[in-house]
Amino acid sequence: MNKAPLPLPAEHIPPGTADWRTPDVQRWLAAVQARWAHPLWAVLALVAAGVWYLEGSPAVACTSAAPCGTDWPGLLMAVVLVLTLYWVWRQPRLALAGLAAGLVGFAEDGGFTESFGEPYALAHLVAAAFTAAGLVHRLALAGRQRALAVEAAGEVRQPLPGAARTFRRGRFSFGLAALLLAVAGFGYWQAQRVADAYEERAARATKLSGQVVALDRGDEDADFVKVEADGRTHRIETAFPEDFPEGSTVDLVVDGDWVALVAEPYDAFGWELLVLGGLVGGLAFFANGVDGRTRSVRLRRGPLPVLKVLVREDHEDGRTWVYAADDPEALRPVLHFHSMAAFEDEEEEWEEGPEGLDDDADAVDLTKFRQILKGEDPPPPLREAVLYGVPCTGAEVALAARPDEETPEVLVECSVTAVKPAGPKLLPSRSKSPAEGTGRKSPRRSVEEIAASMTPTDGLRVWKAHGLSRAVGVGLLLVQGGGMWAMLDDGFSWTWIWLVIGLPWLMTAVATALTWRITADRDGLWVTGAWRVRRIEWDAITAVRHSEDGIRIGTGTGADNVELSPTGWAWLERRLGREPYAERAADELRALQLGPELRPAEEAPAARQGMPVGPPLVALSVLWGAAVLLL
């Protein structure tokens, strides 16, 4: 039976605060975006249309009149297009501006004229229109959510708590933005140095015209053209050999042994890529910082609507989930966001307690820390809270609630990511569960429920690597083999250090995923990992847990816990509508641990205890490495 929500002291609930109840919540949730407007579809449409346009539109050849040097306007347009893809997901208003800028560039490139006769150009317009429709749909529904939330809150308005008014947003984003924009500036400076060095040398070089006599691919996997000019044959590297067919005439600049095509004066592509990456990352973080700072300032501007709700922190990633005030079972999540605690600027005064009290508190904190490290800490409680602000998609909010049962003080938390509704998923599950909004990936069934689903038997109970787990193992094995080939094929180099660091972990993961096995008999468990088979008596087991695609068996103090990882791919199994096999195995093991009547009466023979494949895998890896080096 679920515990009652952790109460919020009455003095921290502003007078007249309305409960956000299920009928109002259902109306709010009805205003979430439709599945067709999910950002993923718009991003895929834009990417597919863009690739088709680049492939279908005629390429502009490099010529002496229009050489292929640096193209800063084209690079800026590429920055806008890439940022638009990101903003479609995160910032709908900026995405609309990015789409408009992209269409201006599209028009200047003759795209509107081509769209009447070329399908690749028309596809780009259709993708942009589809994306714009989805963005407008999302913004309109956010406005609808805002109106519904204000209606549910009524006429009551309250100032933001003092701690939230001093909370500042955007500093981290601005810092990263400054760093990345500095990187982009460095790349621009280096590219200009390359261009200026060419211009300076070309100014004093001899200008010649010649004829292309052959194309040649060198040992460095680069393309070259052979040009006869002034009685000599020059071999010149080119990035676009198709622009210089045999028999064509090209212009050269020659300065001693240095020679270059006028149509391809220099190569600053690497620096241009650095500028592109720096600008995209820097502007994205800068926009995030401005958006976060703007929403934070708007939140502090005046009295706000307030709603009484229930909240729970995600046990896995710290996300805060909000529920209706009359949903004590936390059956239907409403919205979620990440938050951070806010504190007053003034210094707090600490009073010393009785002697020995601090030692006890330290012991409690140390126990909690150990539990967190072992993954045995209890899930956060459901708490009563007051929500400050207007909850809608993309909004900023604050809340006041007690953090846990041991802490009587009320903590103020401010959102650090935009509010997102717990609406329909892109890939909905075949069944709904009460745990969808608690932060758990799947509901934890009670021991009684698990035991009722298990048929009593005297024979051994065995859980072992299934099809998806073996598929993960095979995939990791291919990664291992390919990585060894790539690092060993060129002989000895410093990259071998990555083999020393990563290969032991990779072999452990491969061996575990391929052949992990747990056999339960009358006296305990035989656990087969990558390197050995462990024996764990029933009395030594303190906990069994499935997390991060692994099964962890606690064995108490003074002994090492046993962990098997990876044991499959739980995320994919859930997407396929199945209960993860390893998670079910952990549940059943927990039932056997707590229910002796379910344990087998048979003792496992050696043939049924499993065999680790880590040692044979080491031998196989050594043979593979030797083959790569010798052949």
Side-chain angles (χ1 to χ4, degrees), residues 182-201:
V183 169
F186 174 75
Y188 175 79
W189 175 60
Q190 290 291 347
Q192 286 300 108
R193 285 188 62 191
V194 172
D196 293 342
Y198 167 79
E199 295 293 346
E200 181 180 347
R201 192 164 191 178

Side-chain angles (χ1 to χ4, degrees), residues 143-169:
R144 173 65 176 160
Q145 289 174 346
R146 181 180 180 84
L148 290 171
V150 170
E151 181 183 341
E155 300 297 327
V156 176
R157 299 292 184 271
Q158 293 291 334
L160 202 63
R165 287 197 293 270
T166 63
F167 190 79
R168 293 293 180 266
R169 292 267 278 113

Side-chain angles (χ1 to χ4, degrees), residues 364-421:
V364 171
D365 290 341
L366 201 56
T367 301
K368 288 184 178 179
F369 183 67
R370 290 197 194 99
Q371 288 177 334
I372 292 172
L373 288 180
K374 294 179 180 180
E376 298 171 357
D377 55 313
L382 188 66
R383 305 171 287 160
E384 290 183 353
V386 172
L387 198 65
Y388 291 83
V390 183
C392 63
T393 302
E396 190 98 353
V397 295
L399 63 90
R402 289 174 56 194
D404 51 50
E405 296 178 356
E406 289 79 19
T407 307
E409 293 82 8
V410 172
L411 189 68
V412 177
E413 301 176 31
C414 293
S415 60
V416 293
T417 59
V419 166
K420 292 183 181 179

Side-chain angles (χ1 to χ4, degrees), residues 458-615:
D458 292 336
L460 302 177
R461 292 185 183 272
V462 178
W463 302 267
K464 59 184 179 180
H466 55 303
L468 193 55
S469 178
R470 293 193 181 100
V472 170
V474 171
L476 292 175
L477 184 61
L478 293 175
V479 170
Q480 176 187 327
M484 292 180 64
W485 178 283
M487 293 184 184
L488 299 178
D489 188 40
D490 293 332
F492 181 79
S493 72
W494 67 270
T495 58
W496 284 25
I497 191 174
W498 297 114
L499 286 178
V500 177
I501 296 173
L503 200 56
W505 173 86
L506 197 54
M507 285 194 294
T508 300
V510 169
T512 302
L514 288 175
T515 59
W516 70 269
R517 180 188 180 101
I518 301 176
T519 303
D521 65 9
R522 69 185 183 189
D523 298 320
L525 302 177
W526 295 97
V527 182
T528 303
W531 307 104
R532 60 173 175 158
V533 179
R534 288 278 301 273
R535 178 60 168 172
I536 311 175
E537 303 292 338
W538 287 118
D539 292 341
I541 300 175
T542 59
V544 182
R545 178 177 176 148
H546 174 268
S547 64
E548 301 296 333
D549 288 321
I551 297 176
R552 182 178 300 153
I553 303 174
T555 56
T557 57
D560 294 332
N561 294 334
V562 179
E563 183 169 1
L564 299 174
S565 179
T567 54
W569 193 358
W571 179 89
L572 182 58
E573 290 181 82
R574 292 190 186 97
R575 297 287 78 75
L576 296 175
R578 305 172 186 169
E579 181 185 7
Y581 176 79
E583 188 174 285
R584 184 170 69 250
D587 286 344
E588 293 178 353
L589 286 168
R590 193 181 308 113
L592 293 181
Q593 173 210 354
L594 300 175
E597 70 280 358
L598 296 173
R599 298 171 188 171
E602 182 181 340
E603 184 178 356
R608 300 286 302 277
Q609 295 169 9
M611 183 182 72
V613 297

Side-chain angles (χ1 to χ4, degrees), residues 56-259:
S57 58
V60 179
C62 300
T63 64
S64 299
C68 293
T70 51
D71 180 16
W72 298 120
L75 185 139
L76 289 176
M77 183 53 62
V79 169
V80 170
L81 294 177
V82 176
L83 280 174
T84 299
L85 294 176
Y86 171 71
W87 286 335
V88 164
W89 206 284
R90 293 287 304 272
Q91 307 279 0
R93 289 183 174 83
L94 288 178
L96 285 173
L99 277 179
L103 289 177
V104 170
F106 181 71
E108 290 183 354
D109 199 32
F112 284 107
T113 303
E114 290 180 353
S115 62
F116 292 104
E118 299 294 345
Y120 58 80
L122 181 61
H124 185 78
L125 285 179
V126 171
F130 173 75
T131 302
L135 293 171
V136 172
H137 171 77
R138 289 161 58 190
L139 290 172
L141 288 179
R144 173 65 176 160
Q145 289 174 346
R146 181 180 180 84
L148 290 171
V150 170
E151 181 183 341
E155 300 297 327
V156 176
R157 299 292 184 271
Q158 293 291 334
L160 202 63
R165 287 197 293 270
T166 63
F167 190 79
R168 293 293 180 266
R169 292 267 278 113
R171 295 174 182 173
F172 181 72
S173 294
F174 286 140
L176 280 179
L179 177 62
L180 290 170
L181 290 175
V183 169
F186 174 75
Y188 175 79
W189 175 60
Q190 290 291 347
Q192 286 300 108
R193 285 188 62 191
V194 172
D196 293 342
Y198 167 79
E199 295 293 346
E200 181 180 347
R201 192 164 191 178
R204 64 173 184 266
T206 303
K207 298 176 177 56
L208 301 174
S209 294
Q211 187 176 34
V212 177
V213 295
L215 296 176
D216 179 30
R217 180 172 291 276
D219 296 335
E220 300 84 6
D221 198 26
D223 292 317
F224 294 84
V225 291
K226 290 184 177 179
V227 181
E228 286 188 355
D230 197 25
R232 293 180 58 190
T233 300
H234 301 276
R235 187 170 179 263
I236 311 166
E237 185 176 349
T238 174
F240 306 102
E242 64 275 7
D243 292 344
F244 312 105
E246 291 186 27
S248 60
T249 301
V250 296
D251 296 324
L252 307 177
V253 284
V254 180
D255 183 18
D257 293 334
W258 178 79
V259 60

